[in-house]
């Protein structure tokens, strides 16, 4: 008779995501996972395929959550300039207040170039964000909020790069105003 799982897979994955986000891949041991997730080693391997697979699933969950949150904010705001200002403020506040940093940025700096599967996941995340930014900027161009002569492909990449960079710089830069000024500069490029 097959054994019945006594845990919620989604809940365990959420806990794993937070643990990897806090500690990183290399600093998180199997024992850390067992202790923090409340499952035994056998269940971890049977359900998630081991530490690396669990990390990949955790990163995927984080990426999809971030896209959803950003899309929700995007859909609530019709003006691209107001939306970018709000989004920038959220990123700056999160970057300064959140000592964990961004799971995507942390993973990029820790292991991306050493692991093809992780690198592909990070590039897919980047592509998804850039496409979301591009589509929104295109709508703004079509509505006349942004001039048709703006290179929205490059602007989309720039927005993604700034948001990622803020996550790194915020670990050292404690002056929110300096980080917020980046948003004003970005917005001036849309005029």
């Amino acid at each position: 008779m097959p054994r019945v799982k006594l845990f919620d897979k989604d809940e365990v994955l959420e806990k794993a995501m937070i643990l990897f986000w806090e500690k990183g891949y290399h600093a998180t041991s199997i024992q850390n996972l067992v202790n923090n997730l409340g499952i035994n080693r056998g269940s971890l391997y049977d359900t998630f395929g081991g530490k690396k697979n669990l990390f990949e699933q955790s990163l995927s969950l984080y990426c999809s959550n971030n896209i959803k949150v950003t899309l929700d904010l995007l859909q609530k705001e019709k003006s691209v300039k107001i939306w970018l200002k709000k989004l920038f403020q959220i990123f700056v506040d999160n970057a300064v207040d959140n000592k964990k940093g961004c799971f995507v940025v942390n993973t990029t700096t820790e292991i991306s170039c050493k692991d093809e599967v992780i690198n592909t996941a990070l590039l897919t995340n980047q592509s998804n964000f850039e496409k979301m930014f591009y589509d929104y900027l295109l709508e703004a161009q079509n509505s006349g909020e942004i001039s048709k002569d703006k290179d929205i492909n490059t602007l989309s990449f720039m927005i993604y790069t700034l948001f990622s960079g803020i996550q790194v710089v915020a670990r050292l830069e404690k002056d929110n105003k300096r980080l917020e000024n980046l948003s004003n500069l970005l917005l001036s490029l849309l005029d």
Side-chain angles (χ1 to χ4, degrees):
M1 180 156 130
R3 292 186 346 181
V4 176
K5 290 187 171 130
L6 301 174
F7 59 88
D8 181 312
K9 181 181 177 186
D10 294 334
E11 185 179 304
V12 170
L13 184 57
E14 182 82 24
K15 287 179 183 178
M17 179 190 73
I18 292 167
L19 184 62
F20 282 125
W21 184 5
E22 289 173 349
K23 294 177 69 81
Y25 177 75
H26 294 298
T28 303
S29 68
I30 292 291
Q31 193 59 50
N32 293 140
L33 290 166
V34 168
N35 292 346
N36 285 279
L37 304 182
I39 62 174
N40 63 41
R41 287 175 190 263
S43 292
L44 190 147
Y45 284 98
D46 289 344
T47 305
F48 299 102
K51 176 182 168 180
K52 183 163 184 316
N53 288 341
L54 180 56
F55 181 83
E56 291 167 3
Q57 292 171 52
S58 297
L59 181 62
S60 178
L61 175 63
Y62 181 89
C63 291
S64 67
N65 286 348
N66 274 353
I67 286 284
K68 287 176 193 169
V69 167
T70 307
L71 273 171
D72 285 347
L73 181 62
L74 186 148
Q75 291 168 349
K76 291 177 184 172
E77 188 56 62
K78 296 298 177 205
S79 167
V80 71
K81 292 177 184 178
I82 293 172
W83 174 74
L84 277 172
K85 184 81 172 167
K86 286 180 181 178
L87 191 62
F88 229 97
Q89 189 62 55
I90 290 168
F91 267 75
V92 168
D93 290 345
N94 284 343
V96 171
D97 295 339
N98 184 351
K99 302 304 177 214
K100 293 184 293 197
C102 169
F103 190 17
V104 168
V105 172
N106 295 350
T107 301
T108 302
T109 58
E110 182 184 12
I111 58 175
S112 69
C113 61
K114 299 173 193 150
D115 187 291
E116 186 143 344
V117 172
I118 298 295
N119 203 39
T120 299
L122 294 170
L123 288 169
T124 298
N125 181 68
Q126 177 181 339
S127 177
N128 290 339
F129 267 94
E130 284 188 55
K131 171 134 180 36
M132 178 179 50
F133 296 148
Y134 178 88
D135 290 345
Y136 197 56
L137 292 170
L138 182 61
E139 281 182 37
Q141 270 189 333
N142 291 337
S143 73
E145 187 180 1
I146 297 175
S147 170
K148 295 268 188 198
D149 68 343
K150 299 297 179 187
D151 179 358
I152 59 173
N153 196 34
T154 300
L155 282 169
S156 301
F157 177 60
M158 181 182 187
I159 293 166
Y160 181 82
T161 302
L162 277 174
F163 287 151
S164 298
I166 285 171
Q167 301 300 318
V168 175
V169 173
R171 291 180 174 197
L172 302 172
E173 180 61 57
K174 300 305 176 203
D175 183 357
N176 283 26
K177 193 66 180 156
R178 287 188 69 193
L179 296 173
E180 290 166 8
N181 286 339
L182 290 172
S183 123
N184 297 330
L185 180 61
L186 173 64
L187 293 173
S188 73
L189 296 174
L190 300 180
D191 292 334

